[in-house]
Amino acid sequence: QKEVEQDPGPLSVPEGAIVSLNCTYSNSAFQYFMWYRQYSRKGPELLMYTYSSGNKEDGRFTAQVDKSSKYISLFIRDSQPSDSATYLCASPKAAGNKLTFGGGTRVLVKP
Amino acid sequence: NAGVTQTPKFQVLKTGQSMTLQCAQDMNHNSMYWYRQDPGMGLRLIYYSASEGTTDKGEVPNGYNVSRLNKREFSLRLESAAPSQTSVYFCASRGRGTTGELFFGEGSRLTVL
């Protein structure tokens, strides 16, 4: 079993819809979590990170962590075609440690 | 502002050939990483270097070697390429004391025939 798992998608939504992405993890040592966005033929870039259970908002993006169920979510409100990308969740087991990545979910936002 | 630069961007090799992927960062970061990305497998760590002069194996090190030439540069070498090493390779760097944000290069697409 991979330590961080995601549904590979693709997840196709119309422009303006809410995109809901999920990630599960198996290792309780994971203390904080990150979402990376990767456009086609580009390297991943950090989108958001969150340290603890609860929500964190940044513009149209909300990251949510439920440590009791080992579940991480990313919501994108008012989705735009420019949000079409692969979204990867990741976590280090401790501060400064190597990141473990999920497989990524491909999102397509259709105009 | 270059960030992390990888060369070459594309390469085709025959089985058994060798090659080196080059990576350089201009952010004065201590840690550098090599990942490979395959469909459905996500990013898997091959090797990393926590600081100049040190290197350690990651999740999938077999068939690869690395050199941390100086603080800026971290190279990945395939001594005898195999078709299973067909992949997209990403170099990344991270500064001291950050929460874990990695800065990635644009990737090197390698095909082994």
Side-chain angles (χ1 to χ4, degrees):
Chain A
Q1 181 188 8
K2 293 185 67 174
E3 288 189 299
V4 180
E5 299 213 50
Q6 294 180 256
D7 187 321
L11 180 61
S12 183
V13 299
E15 183 176 355
I18 294 175
V19 177
S20 175
L21 301 169
N22 302 304
C23 199
T24 59
Y25 64 97
S26 59
N27 193 327
S28 299
F30 289 148
Q31 296 181 6
Y32 58 97
F33 306 90
M34 278 155 274
W35 284 96
Y36 280 77
R37 178 175 61 194
Q38 184 178 20
Y39 290 115
S40 180
R41 299 191 172 275
K42 298 290 186 182
E45 56 182 355
L46 182 66
L47 187 62
M48 293 184 68
Y49 67 87
T50 180
Y51 283 97
S52 59
S53 292
N55 294 353
K56 180 177 180 179
E57 278 194 29
D58 185 359
R60 297 184 295 111
F61 299 88
T62 299
Q64 193 173 74
V65 179
D66 182 347
K67 286 190 172 180
S68 61
S69 57
K70 297 189 178 68
Y71 205 74
I72 310 158
S73 300
L74 178 70
F75 301 98
I76 308 173
R77 292 182 299 279
D78 188 25
S79 58
Q80 305 295 311
S82 59
D83 294 324
S84 297
T86 296
Y87 292 81
L88 303 108
C89 59
S91 180
K93 291 177 186 174
N97 273 15
K98 319 182 282 293
L99 287 179
T100 299
F101 283 88
T105 300
R106 186 170 164 226
V107 172
L108 299 172
V109 181
K110 296 184 177 180
Chain B
N1 190 6
V4 178
T5 304
Q6 293 181 232
T7 56
K9 287 187 168 40
F10 301 93
Q11 184 72 50
V12 178
L13 292 177
K14 294 181 180 178
T15 297
Q17 288 185 319
S18 62
M19 76 158 299
T20 299
L21 300 177
Q22 307 285 356
C23 176
Q25 52 93 8
D26 62 3
M27 295 172 283
N28 201 34
H29 285 168
N30 292 310
S31 301
M32 297 185 73
Y33 307 79
W34 276 106
Y35 286 90
R36 60 178 289 174
Q37 187 174 37
D38 303 290
M41 302 294 290
L43 287 159
R44 292 184 292 170
L45 183 64
I46 304 171
Y47 270 94
Y48 68 102
S49 171
S51 61
E52 187 178 353
T54 68
T55 60
D56 284 290
K57 295 178 181 179
E59 184 183 354
V60 289
N62 291 345
Y64 305 96
N65 286 301
V66 290
S67 295
R68 184 72 182 267
L69 304 170
N70 48 56
K71 192 171 185 179
R72 290 187 65 248
E73 298 173 289
F74 189 37
S75 63
L76 178 72
R77 183 160 178 84
L78 287 71
E79 291 291 351
S80 179
S84 61
Q85 293 178 305
T86 294
S87 188
V88 182
Y89 292 85
F90 287 98
C91 178
S93 69
R94 181 174 66 85
R96 184 192 298 273
T98 61
T99 56
E101 179 177 6
L102 296 179
F103 294 83
F104 286 86
E106 294 209 334
S108 298
R109 283 159 179 78
L110 175 65
T111 300
V112 183
L113 302 176

